[in-house]
């Protein structure tokens, strides 16, 4: 065939590019090359899929008491972001790459395959919702259901398509020494990790407040002070055991800051990366504020969570899709 004429069943690249652009202009959400969006749907339909997925997530979360681990899943997918890397999805972030090995097998991600299994029925019912969106939707919904702030999330994230798109090991925070880069203190390590992503000291402290719910488990953490069970975790809910940072570890409030500051209960966990929030001069003013003012904590947390959920993400349409 002459150059520039389509062969049977195949359009020239420039025609396909134009069609994709036209679809986006008409409000369609279209998968880009190398992404893993299950199907192309218009933005209105995609919004309805997200709303349906959120309602199903509420039932899953409430029946399984899995709020904390779903927040951890969303965080660990997005928290690999490296602002110095320009190429998507190589920069890491909220791309859904955590579903692949080797990333899901990284030491910091122990236990998160269980969380992804919990979400499988939701993905099966709403297949057009990307993994990257599903993980972040689950995280935000889990916070809200636990009494935390409503987070002004945006959706439309595209998925990383292959294991080659996985983030490198070592990008997530460590709980205790030895810290990467031979950092001497936990505050140095926290700043290494979060400054790399573009956060400041206030945002580091606000995000740390998510430890107000959840537990550390011996089989998933080598951190000092983690117990097989405590008086707060020995009977569940959910799978019993582990050490919690707060007494009511399925409730999202500012108890974390109060309890870390007090350090009066040996059955509550205080890791070096927790204690430093009240010791470091840059972190301490925010930690003290959040211990006294839950509304301020909620406002700053919601803004930081939203920012974290969008790091490294590629949205189609570019402005994202709001579901509120």
């Amino acid at each position: 065939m002459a150059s520039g004429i389509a062969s049977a069943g195949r359009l020239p690249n420039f025609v396909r590019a134009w069609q994709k652009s036209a679809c986006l202009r008409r409000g369609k959400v279209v998968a880009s090359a190398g992404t893993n969006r299950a199907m192309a749907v218009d933005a209105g339909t995609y919004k309805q899929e997200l709303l349906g997925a959120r309602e199903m997530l509420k039932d899953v979360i409430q029946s399984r008491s899995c709020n904390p681990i779903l927040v951890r899943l969303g965080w660990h997918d997005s928290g690999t972001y490296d602002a110095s890397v320009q190429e998507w999805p190589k920069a890491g972030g909220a791309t859904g790459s955590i579903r692949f090995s080797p990333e899901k097998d990284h030491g910091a991600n122990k236990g998160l395959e269980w969380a992804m299994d919990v979400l499988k029925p939701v993905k099966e019912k709403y297949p057009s919702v990307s993994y990257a969106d599903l993980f972040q939707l689950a995280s935000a919904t889990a916070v809200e259901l636990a009494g935390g702030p409503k987070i002004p999330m945006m959706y439309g994230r595209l998925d990383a398509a292959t294991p080659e798109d996985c983030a490198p090991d070592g990008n997530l925070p460590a709980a205790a020494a030895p810290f990467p880069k031979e950092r001497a203190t936990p505050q140095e390590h926290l700043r290494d990790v979060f400054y790399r992503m573009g956060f400041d000291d206030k945002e580091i402290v606000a995000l740390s407040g998510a430890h107000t719910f959840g537990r550390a488990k011996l089989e998933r953490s080598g951190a000092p002070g983690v117990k097989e069970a405590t008086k707060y975790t020995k009977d569940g809910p959910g799978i019993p055991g582990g050490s919690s940072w707060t007494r009511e570890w399925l409730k999202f409030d500012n108890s974390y800051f109060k309890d870390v500051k007090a350090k009066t209960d040996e059955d509550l966990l205080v890791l070096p990366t927790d204690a430093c929030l009240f010791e470091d001069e840059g972190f301490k003013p925010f930690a003290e504020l959040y211990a006294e003012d839950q509304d301020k904590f909620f406002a700053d947390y919601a803004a930081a969570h939203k920012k974290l959920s969008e790091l490294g993400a590629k949205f189609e349409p570019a402005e994202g899709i709001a579901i509120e």
Side-chain angles (χ1 to χ4, degrees), residues 19-290:
Q19 287 181 331
K20 175 183 171 183
S21 176
C23 284
L24 288 174
R25 289 194 300 271
R26 292 195 301 270
K28 290 248 180 134
V29 179
V30 184
S32 294
T35 65
N36 197 358
R37 172 108 4 105
M39 60 182 71
V41 296
D42 65 80
T45 300
Y46 193 70
K47 178 177 178 178
Q48 293 306 309
E49 292 278 291
L50 287 164
L51 289 168
R54 184 171 66 175
E55 290 307 305
M56 189 173 178
L57 280 168
K58 290 178 181 179
D59 291 337
V60 170
I61 292 167
Q62 291 171 331
S63 65
R64 304 292 291 270
S65 299
C66 57
N67 311 59
I69 199 167
L70 292 182
V71 174
R72 182 171 167 238
L73 174 62
W75 276 39
H76 282 215
D77 191 42
S78 58
T80 59
Y81 179 65
D82 186 340
S84 69
V85 178
Q86 300 301 310
E87 182 184 356
W88 183 89
K90 299 299 184 184
T95 69
S97 63
I98 197 171
R99 72 193 191 277
F100 294 124
S101 292
E103 188 172 341
K104 69 179 180 181
D105 305 317
H106 293 167
N109 293 331
K110 284 182 180 178
L112 290 181
E113 193 156 5
W114 182 91
M116 287 184 268
D117 286 343
V118 165
L119 297 180
K120 280 182 179 178
V122 184
K123 178 65 174 172
E124 289 170 358
K125 185 169 183 179
Y126 299 99
S128 64
V129 175
S130 67
Y131 284 100
D133 271 352
L134 179 60
F135 298 158
Q136 300 306 323
L137 176 63
S139 180
T141 304
V143 169
E144 294 168 19
L145 287 178
K150 182 173 287 291
I151 300 164
M153 302 284 283
M154 298 300 292
Y155 298 96
R157 294 168 188 79
L158 297 180
D159 281 330
T162 70
E164 286 67 37
D165 297 326
C166 285
D169 198 2
N171 277 10
L172 295 167
F179 296 113
K181 300 182 180 179
E182 299 182 351
R183 295 304 190 194
T185 66
Q187 51 265 47
E188 287 179 294
H189 170 60
L190 286 177
R191 288 190 172 103
D192 275 346
V193 171
F194 286 94
Y195 283 11
R196 185 200 72 227
M197 293 188 278
F199 290 107
D200 60 21
D201 285 357
K202 180 180 77 172
E203 292 166 321
I204 293 172
V205 179
L207 288 171
S208 296
H211 279 154
T212 199
F213 71 170
R215 302 167 287 173
K217 294 286 195 73
L218 276 174
E219 64 270 22
R220 300 174 187 169
S221 172
V226 178
K227 299 178 180 180
E228 185 173 343
T230 72
K231 61 189 175 187
Y232 303 117
T233 66
K234 62 183 177 65
D235 298 319
I239 301 170
S243 291
S244 61
W245 286 265
T246 62
R247 294 165 181 82
E248 295 183 81
W249 48 269
L250 284 178
K251 181 180 179 181
F252 197 101
D253 57 18
N254 68 335
S255 294
Y256 166 80
F257 296 104
K258 296 178 179 180
D259 291 332
V260 169
K261 181 179 180 180
K263 293 186 185 178
T264 57
D265 191 331
E266 64 181 15
D267 267 347
L268 294 181
L269 185 61
V270 180
L271 298 170
T273 45
D274 302 314
C276 77
L277 301 181
F278 285 92
E279 298 165 353
D280 180 85
E281 291 305 311
F283 293 154
K284 186 176 180 180
F286 302 110
E288 295 278 4
L289 173 62
Y290 298 152

